[in-house]
Every structure is written in structure tokens, then in C-alpha cells.
Amino acid sequence: MKFLVDAVLPASLAAEAPAGVEFVRWSGGEDSDEELVRAAASAGARAVIFFDRNSLVQPGLVAIAEELGVALVAVDAPDPVEAKERILLHTGQLRRILHETQFALVLASEVRSFAPPTGTGSSADSTGR
Amino acid sequence: MATLGFPSPGLFATVLHALRSADPRERTVESAFADVIGSLSADEAEQLPAALGGVLTLLRGDLDRMRFAAEVLVRFDMFEAAGPLVDLAVKLRDRDLVLLAASLCGNPGVADGLRQQLSNALNGDRAAQIRLYDTLVPTSGDESLLYEQRWPGARPADGPFRLAPVVVLDADMPAKELLSVGLRLVEAGAVLRQLAADGEVPTWFGPQTVVVCRPQTRSRILSKQPAFPERQIIVNPRLENERDYVCLLRQIDGVLPGEGRLRLWSAEPAMSTLLWDPDVYSLGVYETREAAFLTSSPTSALYALAKRDLLRPRHAGVTVWAFGDLVAARTWRFLKSQSKKRVSSDVIPALARFAGDPQAVRVGATSDGHVLVDRGEGWVDVRTGEQLLDIPITDLDDAFRPFSLGGRRAPGLLHASENTRLHPAVLHGAPHLKDHRITARALATLDDRGGDQAIIAAYPELEGVPITDTVSVGHQLVGAR
């Protein structure tokens, strides 16, 4: 499974990918979030991994991702190195959950599906936060 | 830029390298020129015409490349370098070079003696003579077309030929700005002319001409051509960033009459990220403390504005604010910092709910709550569509600069520091390192983890890249949490 990984996540993530998984780190410039999602679709990636859950709340991004069939993943972590560790720790669970959902949140101890924001701007992860 | 100081060896080397590297069969003049001006200092920009003229002789063994270099001079109307081009054209008797030299010598900034030297070598070549002299009367359809191309002031408003718009740049503009504007105009399909600081005002000014100049030059033009439409004279445009250049192109295109238009699609990728575009202005996701930092507001003040329904944040697990909310709150704070009088809070919902405007060159606000857009023809109230005159209007770009109010300092919104950028479409609007999708906050957390080593370990591509100021912004953001 191929993932496009935002540049804010460490470069070493690509080299440490487990078998069956490919992490391609964004190497473009300061392109827009939408362009990242479109690039993922062009590259045949299953998902884009962003750092910080607020990335999934960017207006319009969810619609574009749904239209292109690209999943959106965000990592909740205090810093990019910790974010990388969490991705690597939960890669298997992430792959499985992306068979069922288009939006996922990687936390310290697990991966959860993430409900995209409604028109009123409310959103919650699967714990209802 | 009408000085001809002597270029440094380094500049000669840069120009020669760019021209030698460019394959005239595969590169456009614009792209070769972009390579040359990309890294010039202000002094080097001043001396670029001299450097280009100087390397012409070195290209004698490669006529194609010499013609290519000469075309660069002509496309950007670098009349200051006419001397070397005329010398080579006359010595080599190459017709392409002669025609290019004639085009360049048509600029009245060229000395009469040089023009005469070329004229003596033309042997009755009508195409060259038409380029050189606006007094020559065309005697055929082809000559008329060439004449109107070369002397736009002679074009009738509804003539049969659809010709490229002509933009005249004041040669006294700062050289680097002049080159940057010129490049974008050529890329957008305009024909470029430079108006020398002294000397006559030539037969360029016609219905399809726009001028970008200083106030003194505007006065000079209008005294010689009183009928020239003032709306087609743009005085002292601001050119601080890419967006300003795009706005200028749009402004020029907006005042071009008739069918002649710039190819703005060539700048569309940049234009689509203009902040006032409806698809952009509504973006951005900021948690409250980050919003407070970027607007210089206490968090309590933001919540109070939401409680009064002046701002309408979203709720995505936590309260989040959009870019438009930041602009609204920040502008209100800025207006308060500039005036001792009361500033109406009406400006807050007016800006927060502004739907964006794809034609806006500038957006402004008044202290009594009007939001206005300038689409290239003056300020217009977005709600009523009326033009407003004689009312103090704050350009929102001013509110984006750093300011202080009540002991709080607002950083630059779009440029929090030299290497920090913010754009609502990038990283959900988080302040980030320019040219990279790496947030200031991420840099700060890595700095806390292990200093520069930890940052470079995570981002090897940042080796040698200035990041200290962005790290500092990140620490301020983390501290604001």
C-alpha cells in the first residue's frame, strides 16, 4: 500500500517502511493541501498522511479526497519524530482500517476512524470527542 | 534602470553561462532571461544591459546564440545596450541582427549618432527603416502592420489588426523591479517598451498602451500627450512579493481597452492562490491560541466576539477559526491601533463573512465597517457596489504587517519573519518555512528535542537553509498554547 507523506514528517519514514508498505515523502515546495491530495491520486497512493488532525478539517479537502478516492490520515503527536514512531508502530492497523474508512487518525496507542466535519463544522473521531 | 555602469566579472560570467547553456532552438527568450535575473543583486540588475551587450562580442563564433542574446535585449527593450548590437550588426551585415538593432534603436533613449550609424548601413531595407523611424510612411499592408506593431501610438482604436498590448515601463524604476515586471509581462504576451528618464516621449502611447511609472514620469507623459487616458497610467505600484506582481498584471489587464489582453493564464497558478479568491479566503484552520497569537488578541477577546456572533468559529473537537476570522479580528485590532477614535466592530462580521472576490486587486476596510474591493478601477463597497471617494480606507495589506496594540505585538500575518510564510491553503494555514511544507511549530518542537541536529536529522534537505527565525516563530506559537 502506498502512502504520500507530508514533508513535515521526517525523511527517515520512507526508509523505515515495513514490507508491503511504501511511504513517499512530499518533495515539492510549499504547495497547497489540495495539491498534495491530487498528487497522491496521480501517484496511485491510497492515502495522504498529514501531521496534525486540523489538516483533516481544512474546508473542501475532504470533498476533494472523496472525489479522487484518496484517504486522509492525520497523526496526533507532540512532534514529528514521535509522529513517525506512531505511524510505524501502527502501520498494520492503519492498513486494515483504510479498508473500511476514508479518514483515519493515528494516536499514541491506536488508529481510529475520523468522521469528517459536517456543514456546521462539527466533527469527531470514533470516540465522539 | 538607464545607467550603464561597468559590470563585474561575476556578472559577465553569469550572463555568459546562461546564454551558453540555453539552446536557442529549445528555450524561449523569457525562460533564458528568467535564469539570468533570478539571482541578481540590485547593482547587478542595473548593469545587466551592459553585461548582455558586452557578451555579444564573445558569441561571435555562434551566430544563433548571438541572435538569441540580441533578441533578449530587444524583447526587454534594453536600449542602453544598443551600441554593441549596432556595431556587430553593421560589421557582420547579418540581416537578423540588423533588424534587431533597428528595433532597439527605435527607442528615443538611443543616441542620434548611433541611430544614424545603423541607418547608413540599412541600404534601403524598409523593414529595418520602419523599426527605426516613426516618420516613415507605410506603403503596403505588411508595412502598415509592422508600423503599428512598432509604433503603437499610431494604432487606431478599432484597427483591423489584433496586436499585442504594449506596456511601457519607466526606465527609472529600480532595476530589479523593472526586470521582474518586464519578465512577467513578456510571459503574459505583452510587448515591452522602456521610457528613458529624459528625452522625448515617443510615438508609443495609444489606445492599447499601459504605462507603469513614477509620478514625475506621469506628469511628463500627460504634458506631451494630454489625451492619453489617465486610467492607463499606473503610478508606483507596490512590488514586495509575488502576489503584488500578479496584482499588477491583473490591474494592467483590467485597464487595457478593446480586445488586446494579457495571457493571465500563464500566471494563473499564482493567481489562484491569491488570498481574496473565494476558494482561498474561506480556508484555514486555527485553534484559539494560535488565532490569538496571529491577531494580537487575547483568547478571551476572540471568544467574546464569537459570543456576540461577530465571528462564527467552527467546532471540530476544539474551537477552530478560519483565515477570514483572523483577517477580521486582526484588521479591527489594527484599525484600533491606528486611531484614537472608536472603531466600529461592524468591520468584524463584514470581513469574516466577506465571500472573497476573484477580481480583487486589493481589499480595504473603513473604521465604520465598510469592506471595499479595488478591481483595478478604484474602491468599491462590496455590499452596495458604490465607489467611495474621500474616505480613509485601510488597505488590508497594511493590517497584515506587524503592529502593536495594548502591549501585544502582532507578527506579520503572511510573513511572520523573513523565512516564515502563512497561506490558508498550505498546511491548513499554519505558519511554515518558506518553500517547504514544514510548520514553524514542528521546527520548534524538534529544536526542543535536540536543537539543530534534531531538525536536520528529520529534514536533511534543510542543511544550509536559514531556519532560525522560523524556529523562533514556532517557539512563540508553542508558547502561545
Side-chain angles (χ1 to χ4, degrees), chain A residues 40-56:
Chain A
S42 297
R46 175 68 185 95
V48 180
I49 304 181
F50 292 100
F51 179 41
D52 175 355
R53 69 168 70 199
N54 286 335
S55 301
L56 304 195

Side-chain angles (χ1 to χ4, degrees), chain A residues 6 8 25 30-31 33 121, chain B residues 315 427 432 435 437 459 461:
Chain A
D6 205 350
V8 66
R25 184 166 173 257
E30 54 185 307
D31 293 289
D33 302 342
Chain B
H315 299 281
L427 290 159
H432 58 272
D435 300 328
R437 285 186 56 95
Y459 311 128
E461 70 271 26

Side-chain angles (χ1 to χ4, degrees), chain B residues 219-374:
Chain B
S219 301
R220 187 158 68 93
I221 291 169
L222 289 176
S223 71
K224 298 281 187 183
Q225 308 249 348
F228 188 72
E230 288 197 50
R231 67 190 293 270
Q232 286 167 230
I233 303 177
I234 298 169
V235 177
N236 277 353
R238 187 172 67 192
L239 294 169
E240 292 177 6
N241 52 48
E242 181 62 30
R243 177 170 161 257
D244 289 341
Y245 283 99
V246 174
C247 286
L248 175 60
L249 255 66
R250 185 177 263 173
Q251 189 177 359
I252 291 170
D253 190 63
V255 298
L256 280 170
E259 294 185 3
R261 281 289 177 272
L262 296 179
R263 285 195 307 266
L264 290 181
W265 60 263
S266 69
E268 276 303 331
M271 292 177 70
S272 68
T273 59
L274 283 181
L275 294 173
W276 313 125
D277 189 298
D279 290 338
V280 174
Y281 192 70
S282 60
L283 296 179
V285 182
Y286 302 91
E287 294 188 20
T288 303
R289 293 198 187 192
E290 188 173 32
F293 172 72
L294 291 169
T295 60
S296 91
S297 307
T299 55
S300 56
L302 289 176
Y303 286 127
L305 293 176
K307 199 168 175 189
R308 291 166 61 192
D309 200 35
L310 296 175
L311 291 176
R312 293 176 182 166
R314 293 188 295 154
H315 299 281
V318 294
T319 301
V320 293
W321 311 77
F323 179 72
D325 296 327
L326 262 60
V327 171
R330 187 181 168 110
T331 302
W332 183 55
R333 301 269 303 166
F334 175 76
L335 288 170
K336 292 206 293 182
S337 76
Q338 302 294 301
S339 170
K340 289 189 170 58
K341 292 188 204 172
R342 186 180 170 275
V343 175
S344 168
S345 58
D346 287 351
V347 73
I348 300 174
L351 278 172
R353 289 155 206 169
F354 173 51
D357 187 315
Q359 300 300 319
V361 173
R362 297 184 292 169
V363 174
T366 64
S367 56
D368 60 353
H370 290 272
V371 174
L372 306 106
V373 293
D374 179 2

